[in-house]
């Protein structure tokens, strides 16, 4: 099963006998928010217009728990996450399509969480809401309660496992290159990267239209970063959101990867953890 779906294919699926559940996960992390200004209001954008039948999912409240030692977007409790998914109408036997405002990070976080907790059929709308050419609606649906019960599987890294993977496999840093190199750090307390990690910004996973590059181009990109057949691959970012976008890109390329959810926001909060700066991984 492909991890992404085009807008045209989604339109066809919505007219079929078994349409997918739609989740709208519009969210943004901006420098203004980090500076203490009012956060972006994804629900307000959702209420101004969303895909027909889509249910809003709040990344900060339903796909993460409160910031703390585990980073800025630590995983929520499984009961809390499961209840949010059931409220949105998610069932184990029904396909799910997730979209956001176009950046793809938030949708990928929801995709990863559903896949990690055992949902068998989840895809992300490639290009997000801007790729949709059909009508939007403003009414808020009230779907029937779903039956999805999350059961976590493999694919989750903690700080120690990420450090080990940077030595024994391939650990990719999905943040912008200047943050990896430690030239700027607008959010977290320390600049730099996990020693041994390779710079792999999410912006290089997509084309100018915001859609994922073709699978063969993504495979070549990751091959150039040292990912070979059989490589164990992990990804981190600032807080486990944009890294999910990279895990999704790797899935499109046919490469399984693990996610360090705590990411740099957790790593950099511990003064005993080493920090590397500059373009050299070490």
């Amino acid at each position: 099963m492909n991890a992404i779906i085009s807008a045209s294919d989604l339109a066809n699926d919505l007219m079929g006998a078994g349409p997918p559940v739609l989740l709208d996960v519009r969210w943004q992390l901006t420098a203004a928010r980090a500076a203490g200004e009012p956060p972006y209001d994804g629900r307000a954008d959702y209420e101004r217009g969303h895909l027909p039948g889509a249910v809003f999912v709040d990344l900060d409240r339903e796909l993460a728990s409160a910031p703390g030692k585990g980073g800025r977007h630590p995983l929520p409790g499984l009961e809390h996450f499961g209840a949010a998914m059931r409220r949105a109408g998610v069932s184990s036997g029904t396909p799910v399509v997730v979209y956001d405002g176009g950046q793809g990070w938030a949708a990928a976080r929801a995709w990863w969480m559903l896949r990690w907790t055992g949902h068998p059929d989840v895809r992300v709308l490639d290009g997000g809401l801007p790729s949709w050419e059909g009508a939007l609606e403003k009414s808020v649906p009230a779907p029937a309660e779903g039956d999805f019960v999350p059961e976590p599987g493999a694919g989750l890294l903690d700080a120690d496992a990420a450090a080990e993977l940077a030595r024994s496999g391939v650990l990719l840093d999905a943040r912008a290159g200047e943050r990896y190199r430690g030239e700027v750090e607008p959010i977290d307390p320390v600049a730099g990267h996990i020693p041994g990690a390779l710079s792999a910004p999410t912006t290089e996973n997509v084309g100018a239209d915001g859609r994922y590059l073709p699978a063969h181009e993504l495979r070549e990109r990751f091959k150039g970063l040292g990912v070979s057949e059989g490589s164990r691959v992990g990804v981190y970012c600032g807080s486990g959101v944009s890294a999910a976008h990279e895990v999704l890109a790797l899935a499109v390329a046919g490469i399984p990867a693990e996610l360090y959810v705590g990411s740099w926001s957790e790593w950099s909060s511990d003064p005993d953890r080493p920090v590397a700066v500059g373009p050299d991984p070490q």
Side-chain angles (χ1 to χ4, degrees):
M1 183 191 72
N2 200 344
I4 57 176
I5 184 171
S6 68
S8 58
D9 285 347
L10 175 58
N12 289 334
D13 285 0
L14 290 172
M15 293 187 294
V21 171
L22 292 178
L23 304 181
D24 183 311
V25 197
R26 272 178 273 185
W27 172 89
Q28 292 178 13
L29 175 65
T30 64
R33 178 174 178 180
E37 296 184 21
Y40 165 78
D41 190 342
R43 183 177 292 277
D45 265 2
Y46 165 82
E47 292 175 352
R48 282 189 282 267
H50 52 266
L51 268 61
V55 176
F56 181 73
V57 173
D58 190 316
L59 185 148
D60 289 316
R61 294 177 176 84
E62 296 174 318
L63 304 181
S65 59
K69 291 183 179 180
R72 279 183 280 110
H73 289 102
L75 291 177
L78 289 177
E79 290 186 6
H80 180 77
F81 172 64
M85 293 299 98
R86 292 189 292 273
R87 172 193 62 79
V90 174
S91 292
S92 296
T94 304
V96 177
V97 172
V98 190
Y99 71 92
D100 58 24
Q103 188 179 42
W105 294 4
R109 169 78 174 220
W111 166 84
W112 179 84
M113 288 192 65
L114 282 164
R115 293 292 294 148
W116 174 65
T117 55
H119 197 289
D121 190 349
V122 190
R123 289 171 291 175
V124 168
L125 175 59
D126 195 16
L129 186 65
S131 71
W132 181 254
E133 297 181 353
L136 301 179
E137 69 177 22
K138 295 183 178 180
S139 60
V140 177
E145 183 88 357
D147 65 14
F148 178 66
V149 177
E151 296 181 1
L156 176 65
L157 298 171
D158 61 13
D160 291 340
E164 189 279 329
L165 185 54
R167 296 188 296 268
S168 64
V170 179
L171 182 65
L172 302 177
D173 184 319
R175 298 172 301 160
E178 59 268 25
R179 289 184 70 193
Y180 169 88
R181 294 188 296 272
E183 296 165 2
V184 298
E185 183 43 67
I187 304 171
D188 294 311
V190 178
H193 60 267
I194 297 173
L198 301 170
S199 181
T202 57
T203 52
E204 297 177 18
N205 295 327
V206 299
D209 59 1
R211 293 176 173 85
Y212 277 99
L213 298 174
H216 70 277
E217 292 186 25
L218 288 170
R219 281 193 291 272
E220 286 302 308
R221 183 201 177 200
F222 294 120
K223 181 180 178 181
L225 290 166
V227 177
S228 58
E229 186 175 352
S231 294
R232 186 182 172 202
V233 183
V235 188
Y236 76 95
C237 58
S239 65
V241 178
S242 66
H245 184 279
E246 190 119 296
V247 173
L248 179 55
L250 285 153
V252 172
I255 302 165
E258 299 168 87
L259 177 64
Y260 173 26
V261 171
S263 285
W264 189 248
S265 59
E266 179 188 39
W267 183 277
S268 62
S269 68
D270 185 344
D272 291 332
R273 293 196 183 107
V275 171
V277 295
D280 190 325
Q282 300 301 330

